[in-house]
Amino acid sequence: MSIILDHVTYTYSAGTAYEVKALDDVSLKLSDGEFIGIIGHTGSGKSTLIQHLNGLLKATSGAIYFNGQDIYDKDFDLKGLRTRVGMVFQYPEHQLFETTVFEDVKYGPKNQGLSDKEATNRAFDALSAVNFPDEYFDQSPFELSGGQKRRAAIAGVLAMEPDVLILDEPTAGLDPKGQRDLLTLIRRMHKESERTIILVSHSMEDVAEYVDRIIVMDDGKVFLDGTPETVFSHVTELEERGLAVPQVTYLMEELKGRGIPVEGHATTLKSAKEEILRLSRAGALHV
Amino acid sequence: MFREITLGQYYPADSILHRLDPRVKLFGTLIYIIVLFVASEPISFGVITAALVAVILISKVPFSYMTKGLSGIVMLLVIAGIFNLFMTPGIPIFTWGPLTITDIGLKNAATMVIRMVYLIVGTSLMTLTTTPNQLTDGLERSMRHMSKLGLPVHEIAMMMSIALRFIPILVEETDKIMKAQMARGADFESGGIIKRTKAMVPILVPLFVSAFRRASDLAMAMEARCYHGGEGRTKMKPLTYTALDRVAYLVILVFLAVIIVLALM
Ligand SMILES: Nc1ncnc2c1ncn2[C@@H]1O[C@H](COP(=O)(O)OP(=O)(O)OP(=O)(O)O)[C@@H](O)[C@H]1O
Ligand SMILES: [Mg+2]
C-alpha cells in the first residue's frame, strides 16, 4: 500500500477575493506500514494535506496515486478509498449524531456493508480498544465530556478497520493518561497489524517518541522530511517556524554547549538517558 | 462543495461604492427597486440599464459575483417568462400550432425578466459592497425613529447582523460535518429519495447541535462583555455623512427625477 502525492497544490476559495494557498507543490511518498508524524505551525496546511489522502479535498493541481491508481480517475472508487483510509478529524463532535454511542460507532461499519451483527462486534472491539467506559455505551453521544466524545469518535473510525489510519491531533482534550493510552493503542495497532499511521500533532515529545518519520509543514510546503533525529537536529530552523524540539533535545544541546562531548541527537527520554549514562561511564560528565 | 453560497456575501475592494455610507446605499437601493417596478417604457429601462452598468463599473466587483445569485432563480424566470409569453391576450405576432405570442405577451415577458434580473443584480451589488455590520448599522440608524413607536429597532438590527454572520459559519460547519461523515463511508449522492433523505440525518443532527451550542456560547460571551441591549449604547465608529455621500444622494435624486420626467412624457 502506498500513497504518492505528485506536485499537489490546493487553494481554498480559488478565484475569489478570499483565496488561500494552503498547499504549495507538495510531493510525498507514504509507504506501507510507516508511522508518520506531521508537525507544523497553526495554519501550515496539515489538516488540508491529510484531507487529500482520502480524497475529501480535490487538489487544485497535481495528482495523487493510491497503490499506483490515480484517485482522480473517473472510475476510481472514492468511497472504497475512504473506508480503507480512515480519518479521525480534529474536532470529533462533527461526526457524532446517533442516539447512543454504540449506534454511532456502528455507522461506519454499516456503511461498509457489514451485517448488523458484524458491525456490533466491530463497535464493541473498537470501544474497548479506546478504553471507553462500558456504562456509557448506551448514553447519548452529546452528553459526554470532550475527552469521551473524542474516544467515541476515534472508535467510530477504528471500527472500520482501515488500512491507513490518519489522526488529526487526536490527543487534544484528553487527560495525560488518556493521551498516553491513546498513543500506546495507536503504536500497538501499528506494530500488530502493520497499518500505516499518520499522526498530526503539536507535541514534539509525542512525535519524537512514537513515529519513525516526521514531515514538517511550513506555509503549505514540506519543509523537512526525515527521521526524528535528523528533523530535530535543525533546532534553529524549527524555532524560526514557530516550532520547537523535544525538551530532552534542548537538554542535550545545553550539555554540548557546556563542552560535554555529546554524540548524536537524542529526541526521546530513553535515548537521552542512554547517552548520559554512556557519558557518565566514560567519565565525561565532569567539566 | 457548499461554500459557493453567496447570500449576503461581501466582496472586499476599494471603490467609491464601498466607501459610501450604508444609509446612502440603502436609500439608493430602495429608489432603484421602486423605479424598477414603476418604469414600463423602453427608454426608462435604457436609463436604468445605463445607471446599473455605471454602478457596476464603479464597484470594482467582478461581474460574475452578481450573476451568481441568478442561477438560483433561472427556472423561475423561464417558467414565468413562458407563461407571460404565451398566455397574454393581445394582437398575435407569431403563431405556431396552439401557441400564440402576442405583442403584449412579448412585452410583459421581457419586462418581467428584465425586472427580476435587475432586481437581483442591483441588490447583490449593495450586499457585495457593504459589510453585514455596516448594513445593520445603516438599517438601525435609518429606522431609529421607529423605536418611538415601540419597534425594537436595535434588537432587530442585532439579530440581523448575527444571522448574517452565522451564514458562512454554518456553511463551513456543514462542510466539515459532511467530510467527517464521508470519511466514515457516508454516501449522499446515490439511492432514491428516501435513502438520500435518510443520509442527511448524520449531517443535520451535528449541525443543529453545534448551531445551538454556538448560539448559547455567543449569548454567554455577549453577556460576559456586559451586553445589555440598545439602551445607552454608543458606537465605536458612528455613521457620519461625508461630501461623497451628499453627492451620491444628489445623483440618486437626479436619477429619480429623470425617470419621473420620462414617465410623464
Ligand atoms: N475551509 C477553509 N476555507 C478557507 N481557508 C481555509 C479553510 N481551511 C483552512 N483554510 C486555510 O488554509 C490554511 C491551512 O489550514 P489547515 O487547516 O490545513 O492548517 P493546519 O496546519 O491544520 O492548522 P492547525 O494546526 O491550526 O490545525 C490556513 O491558512 C487556513 O486559514
Ligand atoms: Mg488542523
Side-chain angles (χ1 to χ4, degrees):
Chain A
M1 193 123 353
S2 73
I3 304 177
I4 295 173
L5 282 81
D6 185 21
H7 298 285
V8 170
T9 294
Y10 186 80
T11 312
Y12 281 105
S13 330
T16 74
Y18 302 96
E19 245 183 42
V20 182
K21 199 173 202 178
L23 287 184
D24 188 2
D25 195 27
V26 171
S27 294
L28 284 172
K29 181 169 192 293
L30 313 177
S31 314
D32 201 6
E34 279 191 295
F35 195 155
I36 301 171
I38 300 182
I39 60 175
H41 61 81
T42 290
S44 57
K46 304 180 295 294
S47 299
T48 310
L49 172 66
I50 55 172
Q51 285 175 45
H52 279 83
L53 303 180
N54 64 353
L56 282 175
L57 288 178
K58 188 172 184 306
T60 316
S61 72
I64 296 177
Y65 301 94
F66 183 74
N67 287 340
Q69 277 177 297
D70 185 347
I71 70 163
Y72 300 136
D73 225 28
K74 267 198 206 66
D75 343 306
F76 188 82
D77 176 19
L78 265 184
K79 199 181 158 198
L81 172 71
R82 290 189 189 129
T83 62
R84 296 181 65 185
V85 181
M87 170 112 83
V88 177
F89 278 82
Q90 202 165 353
Y91 305 100
E93 53 273 26
H94 282 144
Q95 65 173 60
L96 301 169
F97 73 99
E98 274 285 4
T99 44
T100 71
V101 172
F102 203 74
E103 285 302 314
D104 200 276
V105 175
K106 275 163 72 178
Y107 179 69
K110 274 187 177 161
N111 280 332
Q112 286 177 304
L114 296 182
S115 71
D116 195 59
K117 189 153 167 273
E118 283 170 302
T120 305
N121 283 340
R122 290 269 194 99
F124 193 81
D125 291 346
L127 282 168
S128 321
V130 295
N131 283 333
F132 192 86
D134 308 13
E135 61 265 34
Y136 293 136
F137 277 16
D138 290 320
Q139 189 120 353
S140 156
F142 303 110
E143 288 163 5
L144 301 175
S145 79
Q148 290 164 338
K149 272 187 195 159
R150 189 162 276 275
R151 280 175 216 234
I154 293 171
V157 175
L158 290 186
M160 299 170 72
E161 301 195 343
D163 303 327
V164 179
L165 183 61
I166 306 173
L167 304 109
D168 199 348
E169 293 180 39
T171 52
L174 292 182
D175 51 30
K177 179 170 184 304
Q179 299 190 3
R180 242 177 296 126
D181 287 351
L182 180 62
L183 288 169
T184 313
L185 168 74
I186 295 169
R187 173 188 272 168
R188 205 179 68 220
M189 287 190 332
H190 173 243
K191 289 253 163 66
E192 281 172 6
S193 51
E194 288 286 297
R195 252 176 256 222
T196 308
I197 310 266
I198 299 169
L199 175 72
V200 176
S201 178
H202 278 301
S203 162
M204 303 301 138
E205 272 75 21
D206 286 351
V207 282
E209 172 83 35
Y210 291 92
V211 311
D212 311 322
R213 172 181 171 194
I214 296 179
I215 296 172
V216 184
M217 296 297 295
D218 180 44
D219 282 336
K221 294 192 189 67
V222 175
F223 169 60
L224 288 172
D225 182 356
T227 61
E229 284 72 27
T230 48
V231 166
F232 286 135
S233 63
H234 299 260
V235 184
T236 40
E237 285 104 317
L238 288 172
E239 282 181 347
E240 276 163 17
R241 282 162 182 82
L243 296 167
V245 299
Q247 294 294 333
V248 286
T249 312
Y250 281 119
L251 173 72
M252 300 312 268
E253 289 290 312
E254 175 82 32
L255 291 180
K256 216 183 279 182
R258 296 200 184 175
I260 295 171
V262 175
E263 271 173 23
H265 287 272
T267 56
T268 63
L269 211 50
K270 193 157 156 262
S271 58
K273 186 174 124 193
E274 275 161 15
E275 177 64 13
I276 289 175
L277 285 177
R278 187 191 67 81
L279 290 167
S280 148
R281 259 182 257 115
L285 277 183
H286 305 280
V287 200
Chain B
M1 50 203 81
F2 258 110
R3 336 196 101 257
E4 313 295 311
I5 296 177
T6 56
L7 185 66
Q9 200 191 49
Y10 174 69
Y11 182 93
D14 181 29
S15 78
I16 298 177
L17 218 55
H18 284 78
R19 265 176 279 142
L20 276 186
D21 190 286
R23 286 168 291 176
V24 182
K25 284 185 263 189
L26 281 168
F27 177 71
T29 311
L30 187 68
I31 296 292
Y32 171 77
I33 293 173
I34 294 172
V35 161
L36 205 52
F37 282 88
V38 173
S40 57
E41 297 309 309
I43 174 100
S44 309
F45 280 111
V47 173
I48 294 174
T49 309
L52 188 60
V53 169
V55 177
I56 289 175
L57 289 181
I58 294 173
S59 76
K60 292 188 189 164
V61 179
F63 187 61
S64 62
Y65 271 79
M66 290 158 227
T67 50
K68 267 185 195 164
L70 285 177
S71 55
I73 61 151
V74 164
M75 268 323 278
L76 185 78
L77 276 181
V78 169
I79 294 172
I82 287 175
F83 269 95
N84 270 301
L85 202 55
F86 294 111
M87 303 297 198
T88 319
I91 306 160
I93 50 172
F94 177 82
T95 317
W96 186 69
L99 299 175
T100 313
I101 297 178
T102 65
D103 58 343
I104 301 178
L106 190 64
K107 189 167 168 248
N108 280 359
T111 318
M112 202 227 42
V113 171
I114 290 177
R115 272 185 189 149
M116 294 304 273
V117 172
Y118 279 25
L119 182 69
I120 300 242
V121 172
T123 47
S124 34
L125 201 51
M126 181 189 63
T127 52
L128 282 167
T129 58
T130 320
T131 63
N133 270 341
Q134 283 182 329
L135 202 65
T136 43
D137 267 8
L139 268 181
E140 193 178 344
R141 278 286 290 190
S142 321
M143 301 200 320
R144 70 181 186 284
H145 300 295
M146 306 274 234
S147 64
K148 296 202 181 77
L149 303 175
L151 199 71
V153 173
H154 171 79
E155 280 69 21
I156 293 175
M158 181 55 92
M159 282 194 302
M160 239 188 76
S161 73
I162 292 174
L164 283 174
R165 181 67 198 88
F166 262 50
I167 292 172
I169 292 180
L170 287 183
V171 169
E172 196 172 310
E173 199 96 339
T174 313
D175 195 57
K176 281 187 182 151
I177 294 168
M178 278 183 82
K179 277 189 197 155
Q181 303 301 27
M182 273 155 75
R184 292 206 288 166
D187 182 357
F188 306 115
E189 269 103 47
S190 67
I193 182 138
I194 295 181
K195 184 159 173 271
R196 268 199 267 177
T197 315
K198 262 188 165 166
M200 296 307 287
V201 174
I203 300 177
L204 292 180
V205 174
L207 187 63
F208 275 103
V209 169
S210 91
F212 283 122
R213 201 201 60 235
R214 270 180 196 283
S216 87
D217 285 357
L218 180 65
M220 226 183 296
M222 282 167 79
E223 268 170 18
R225 284 184 273 172
C226 304
Y227 176 79
H228 56 82
E231 200 97 346
R233 193 175 157 86
T234 54
K235 296 262 181 233
M236 184 156 128
K237 292 181 194 159
L239 293 174
T240 43
Y241 284 122
T242 61
L244 184 68
D245 297 312
R246 297 197 185 92
V247 175
Y249 269 127
L250 202 65
V251 172
I252 295 168
L253 291 176
V254 168
F255 170 70
L256 183 63
V258 170
I259 295 287
I260 292 174
V261 169
L262 285 176
L264 294 178
M265 258 164 36

